[in-house]
Amino acid sequence: MRTSEEAEGFDGEASNTSMISGASSPYQPTTEPVHPRNVLGGIRCDMEYLKSYFGILKMVEVVLSLIGFICIETIMMCSPCGGVYFFEFVSCSAVVVTGVLLLIFSLNLHTKVPHVNWSLTDLVNTAASTFFFFLSSLVLACINHNTGAEIAAVIFGFLVTGVYGINTFLAVRRWRRGNGCQGAAQTSEYMRARTASRGEMEARPELA
C-alpha cells in the first residue's frame, strides 16, 4: 500500500510529464485574439473624387441622362416609336450604369475588388455611352413629331454625348498612363531579377 508521500510524488511526476508533453505538442492553443474582418470599414465618401474631373463629369452625365429620360417618358403617343424607344433604352441604361460607377468610385468600393480593371471598365462604359447616345439622338432627330418633349430629348441627348466624349478622351489617357506605368514596373522587376541572378552566378562560379 502506497504512502501519501509516494502518491504525491507520483501525481507530481504525472503533472510534470503532462506539462512537458503539452509544451512539446505542435497543437498549442493560441492566445492571440481573432479580429473579425470588417468589410464595410473602408467605405467612405471620397470628396476628392467628386471634386475631380471624372467625378464632376460622372455627375453631369447622370443628371443630363436623367433629364433626357424624363423628357422622352412624357411622350404619350408616337407613330412610329422606334426612335423614342431606342432613346429611352439608351438614356435609362446610361443613368443606371453610370450612376452605379459613380457610387462605386465615390465610396471607394472599387478598392474592395482590386482584380477588376476599373479604368478599363470606366473607359468601355463612357465610349459605349458616347456612341449609343449619339446614335439614338441622331435617330430621334430624324424620326420625330416635332413635339417639345422630343426636341428637348434630342438637345439633352447631344449635350450628354459631348460630355461622354470628353470623359472618354480623359479615360483613354488615364488607361494608357496606367498601362505605361504597369509596363515600366514589369520591366523594372525583370531587370532586377536579371541583376540578382547575374550577381549570384558571379558569387558562385561553380554554377557556371
Side-chain angles (χ1 to χ4, degrees):
M1 184 175 182
R2 296 180 179 176
T3 62
S4 60
E5 294 180 356
E6 293 178 350
E8 291 177 357
F10 180 76
D11 294 337
E13 292 177 358
S15 61
N16 292 335
T17 304
S18 62
M19 289 177 63
I20 294 174
S21 61
S24 60
S25 175
Y27 304 101
Q28 294 294 325
T30 179
T31 57
E32 297 180 358
V34 179
H35 300 285
R37 293 183 178 179
N38 190 1
V39 179
L40 302 179
I43 295 180
R44 60 180 180 82
C45 185
D46 190 356
M47 297 303 299
E48 294 297 328
Y49 175 79
L50 295 178
K51 294 178 181 179
S52 65
Y53 291 117
F54 289 101
I56 295 174
L57 288 173
K58 284 268 186 302
M59 290 186 287
V60 174
E61 290 161 1
V62 171
V63 171
L64 292 179
S65 301
L66 182 60
I67 294 176
F69 177 74
I70 293 174
C71 291
I72 209 70
E73 283 296 306
T74 58
I75 300 175
M76 296 291 101
M77 297 181 62
C78 61
S79 180
C81 299
V84 174
Y85 291 156
F86 185 32
F87 188 91
E88 179 183 11
F89 172 76
V90 172
S91 57
C92 180
S93 301
V95 170
V96 173
V97 177
T98 306
V100 170
L101 288 177
L102 175 61
L103 185 66
I104 289 175
F105 291 137
S106 61
L107 296 180
N108 284 325
L109 296 178
H110 60 288
T111 59
K112 304 296 181 181
V113 192
H115 58 276
V116 176
N117 191 337
W118 291 104
S119 297
L120 182 60
T121 302
D122 184 38
L123 173 59
V124 171
N125 172 65
T126 53
S129 299
T130 302
F131 173 75
F132 284 110
F133 251 120
F134 176 76
L135 185 60
S136 62
S137 300
L138 186 61
V139 171
L140 186 61
C142 297
I143 306 174
N144 65 80
H145 304 85
N146 294 324
T147 62
E150 289 174 322
I151 295 174
V154 170
I155 293 174
F156 283 106
F158 281 117
L159 284 176
V160 74
T161 299
V163 177
Y164 270 115
I166 297 173
N167 196 352
T168 302
F169 173 74
L170 296 177
V172 168
R173 290 181 57 185
R174 181 179 61 180
W175 178 67
R176 288 181 176 177
R177 185 167 58 247
N179 282 354
C181 293
Q182 183 179 2
Q186 292 178 352
T187 303
S188 177
E189 289 294 333
Y190 174 74
M191 295 301 297
R192 188 180 299 110
R194 287 283 304 272
T195 304
S197 176
R198 186 178 302 172
E200 183 179 356
M201 292 291 293
E202 292 177 355
R204 301 178 62 185
E206 66 274 8
L207 296 178

